[in-house]
Amino acid sequence: MNRQAQAVVMLLFGGAVVKASVTDMYLRYVKEGLRPFLIAAGVLLIAAAVMTLFYDLRKTADHDHDHGDGKPHREPRVGWFLILPVLGLLLVAPPALGSYAAGQAGTALSNQQQMSDYPPLPEGDPARITVLDYASRAVFDKGTSIGDRRVQLTGFIAEGADGHPILARIILSCCAADGRPIKVGMSGDAPSGLAADTWVEVVGKYTDRTATDPVNDESIPFIEVESWRQIDPPKQQYE
């Protein structure tokens, strides 16, 4: 692959990074706070590609190189196929991690620090908290910091080990490559008949019911659902 082909691939890749960064697309790959770094990286790639093309086009032998044998030499064209995945990133945006990823990995709750003193729940009825916050309080605090208050959780539907739907959310340390699921079982007036990856808001109370995740044998807490409603996927789908 010659320099021009390398520069074109670099230019397209940089453009794809910038395009994803200036829209909400980047939230499917990394945490929200990394946007400035992605934009900077994309701009640097574009600048490097433009400079490479500029200097290479000034040379007299742009495509054919004389090796002293009187015969023109062409670089292998197969290198241009490297453009295909970059074009795919530009034209087709893969979805955020969802129910399939949740089913393949064990709950990440075992990797969270076990706190002994949780802060009070937010004000309001119901109290809006994350799936991770509820699961941590339910497992490690035995629901003490929740009490009899109603809470509202937002997540997507995934299939549990027993075939019943569970509420899940993917948490990130940095990017989608290290995404792990948080899983919460649902009892009471739980959603039914919904396809996997359907986003819902559920309102309910703490219950001491738990299940065991068959992937890593960690505890999956439950919530006693009082009501629920289907919603559109949020802009930030990771916690």
Side-chain angles (χ1 to χ4, degrees):
M1 192 179 203
N2 59 29
R3 284 188 178 182
Q4 290 183 34
Q6 295 172 5
V8 170
V9 172
M10 191 185 305
L11 180 64
L12 290 175
F13 185 70
V17 172
V18 170
K19 175 188 175 183
S21 302
V22 298
T23 64
D24 293 334
M25 188 189 305
Y26 81 103
L27 294 173
R28 303 178 184 182
Y29 311 107
V30 298
K31 301 185 75 171
E32 188 171 8
L34 295 178
R35 170 182 257 173
F37 302 99
L38 285 177
I39 294 176
V43 170
L44 286 175
L45 285 172
I46 292 173
V50 170
M51 293 301 293
T52 299
L53 284 171
F54 174 75
Y55 285 110
D56 197 63
L57 289 173
R58 293 180 60 184
K59 298 178 181 180
T60 56
D62 294 329
H63 302 288
D64 300 331
H65 304 276
D66 188 351
H67 284 206
D69 55 4
K71 297 179 180 179
H73 174 73
R74 294 184 181 274
E75 298 288 347
R77 296 179 179 177
V78 67
W80 286 96
F81 284 106
L82 293 174
I83 296 178
L84 295 180
V86 181
L87 290 176
L89 182 62
L90 280 168
L91 301 176
V92 182
L97 298 178
S99 61
Y100 178 80
Q104 299 301 306
T107 178
L109 204 59
S110 59
N111 293 332
Q112 307 304 314
Q113 181 179 1
Q114 299 187 22
M115 298 177 60
S116 58
D117 186 17
Y118 285 86
L121 292 176
E123 296 182 358
D125 181 32
R128 295 185 178 184
I129 60 176
T130 65
V131 176
L132 173 60
D133 192 17
Y134 175 83
S136 298
R137 293 172 187 264
V139 172
F140 302 136
D141 194 40
K142 305 301 181 184
T144 302
S145 60
I146 301 175
D148 60 355
R149 290 191 59 186
R150 300 195 310 159
V151 295
Q152 177 179 300
L153 311 180
T154 300
F156 58 84
I157 297 295
E159 184 176 340
D162 57 359
H164 292 91
I166 62 173
L167 189 70
R169 197 77 184 254
I170 303 294
I171 61 172
L172 302 183
S173 297
C174 173
C175 59
D178 58 37
R180 295 287 304 279
I182 295 293
K183 307 174 184 179
V184 173
M186 295 180 288
S187 57
D189 186 20
S192 60
L194 297 179
D197 293 311
T198 301
W199 283 82
V200 294
E201 283 181 353
V202 301
V203 174
K205 292 185 176 182
Y206 166 76
T207 174
D208 60 2
R209 179 181 173 184
T210 61
T212 300
D213 193 324
V215 180
N216 61 357
D217 295 326
E218 297 292 341
S219 295
I220 296 178
F222 272 68
I223 182 173
E224 184 75 14
V225 178
E226 294 183 353
S227 63
W228 63 273
R229 70 184 184 95
Q230 184 176 340
I231 61 172
D232 294 329
K235 180 181 74 172
Q236 175 56 277
Q237 298 187 29
Y238 300 127
E239 288 187 352

